[in-house]
Amino acid sequence: MVTIKSKREIEIMKEACKLTAQTHEVLKEAIRPGISTLELDKIAEDFIRKNGGIPAQKGYPSGIKGVPNFPGTICASINDEVIHGIPSKRVILHEGDIIKIDLVVLKNGFHGDAARTYIVGKPNSEEDQKLVEVTKQAFFEGIKYATKGNRVGDISNAIYEYVTRNGFSILKEFQGHGIGRQMHEDPGVPNYGKPGKGMRLEPGMTIAVEPMVIAGKPDIFELDDGWTIVSDDGSNTAHYENTILITEKEPEILTLG
Ligand code: MG
């Protein structure tokens, strides 16, 4: 179901989104060679709870028999892992690793959702650097079309065209989404699609736009943990996401600084 938020609801939701952004800032400072993704997870959980939020991904149901609910506050995905990596004390960051952190904060009944990709220390290659930059820019290319009267497909197409024009692949099996009182609401926001198609955007809609990009071929598979999604060819990946608000004019990015 699509929910159009009132001014009052948006004000409350902005608090959750602000805490999401602040948590990312704290994590950015903590990322260094030698730290484990479980340590990063603990830093995020402590910060969120200290500031009146709840880590919304923690305990998220897998929906698959035999696969435990998601155990982490953050999804921490390294190199060929695109999304849904499980924080672990055995996963230690090394110089040149590409780490994706995705996190959702619930506060006062509303969610904020954002993902960032960082290279630990110096990049291993110019291509790695370009991958991270193109993925971030793809978000901004997409939301140029996130305006009243446009359609979801306009955003999707802009993201797809920008990423593929730069020589990378879009992961198609997962997508952005409406967000509000629920972590996942309608509409789905794919990272590929036809301009002029899909749901029409209206002021008061809040959506998470999130390009997921693979340096090599677009194929993926799921690890035996039932969560982690990795590139099939082992190539590196990136992810960038913000929660945005559709307004009468330009979209407002709710999970940035
Ligand atoms: Mg997310």
Side-chain angles (χ1 to χ4, degrees):
M1 197 181 76
V2 177
T3 57
I4 303 297
K5 281 81 178 175
S6 67
K7 278 211 171 78
R8 173 77 188 128
E9 287 173 317
I10 288 162
E11 287 314 307
I12 299 168
M13 187 161 161
K14 279 183 177 176
E15 287 299 309
C17 289
K18 188 174 155 198
L19 183 50
T20 306
Q22 289 169 335
T23 308
H24 270 299
E25 288 305 308
V26 169
L27 290 170
K28 185 182 177 184
E29 294 305 312
I31 288 170
R32 57 175 168 76
I35 196 166
S36 73
T37 54
L38 190 64
E39 286 173 276
L40 292 174
D41 192 73
K42 175 95 170 66
I43 290 168
E45 178 168 8
D46 289 349
F47 184 78
I48 291 166
R49 292 195 190 281
K50 195 179 77 187
N51 287 282
I54 295 167
Q57 292 180 140
K58 200 178 174 96
Y60 195 83
S62 72
I64 302 161
K65 207 178 166 206
V67 176
N69 296 345
F70 194 79
T73 288
I74 60 171
C75 295
S77 312
I78 313 290
N79 299 334
D80 61 334
E81 302 170 350
V82 201
I83 50 171
H84 303 168
I86 299 173
S88 166
K89 63 173 189 272
R90 292 189 302 278
V91 179
I92 309 292
L93 298 187
H94 298 94
E95 181 100 8
D97 277 346
I98 303 177
I99 178 168
K100 283 123 276 178
I101 295 176
D102 193 359
L103 67 93
V104 185
V105 170
L106 172 63
K107 189 175 178 182
N108 299 325
F110 283 88
H111 293 82
D113 187 356
R116 303 282 182 263
T117 298
Y118 304 107
I119 296 176
V120 181
K122 285 198 193 74
N124 283 334
S125 68
E126 278 180 31
E127 194 196 46
D128 283 354
Q129 188 69 48
K130 184 183 170 192
L131 174 68
V132 174
E133 285 167 12
V134 164
T135 304
K136 181 176 180 178
Q137 187 58 31
F139 164 84
F140 289 96
E141 296 297 322
I143 69 160
K144 285 178 185 171
Y145 295 87
T147 49
K148 179 185 172 180
N150 275 353
R151 289 180 184 269
V152 167
D154 298 313
I155 302 173
S156 306
N157 175 65
I159 290 172
Y160 185 83
E161 287 299 321
Y162 183 76
V163 167
T164 53
R165 204 186 321 131
N166 277 282
F168 299 128
S169 299
I170 282 289
L171 186 160
K172 291 185 173 176
E173 288 83 350
F174 292 84
Q175 60 182 7
H177 49 91
I179 180 169
R181 288 190 186 276
Q182 305 298 321
M183 192 192 303
H184 298 113
E185 300 182 356
D186 287 333
V189 185
N191 294 309
Y192 68 102
K194 290 198 169 68
K197 299 285 183 189
M199 189 174 289
R200 199 180 287 281
L201 301 170
E202 285 180 53
M205 283 173 71
T206 44
I207 56 176
V209 177
E210 49 176 323
M212 291 164 249
V213 177
I214 302 176
K217 294 200 173 71
D219 312 88
I220 53 163
F221 71 98
E222 189 181 82
L223 295 186
D224 288 341
D225 63 21
W227 283 104
T228 314
I229 302 296
V230 304
S231 66
D232 195 44
D233 62 7
S235 62
N236 282 331
T237 66
H239 183 201
Y240 186 83
E241 173 186 30
N242 283 302
T243 300
I244 68 166
L245 168 68
I246 308 300
T247 74
E248 291 290 339
K249 293 176 181 166
E250 299 300 304
E252 194 175 336
I253 304 174
L254 305 183
T255 47
L256 269 185

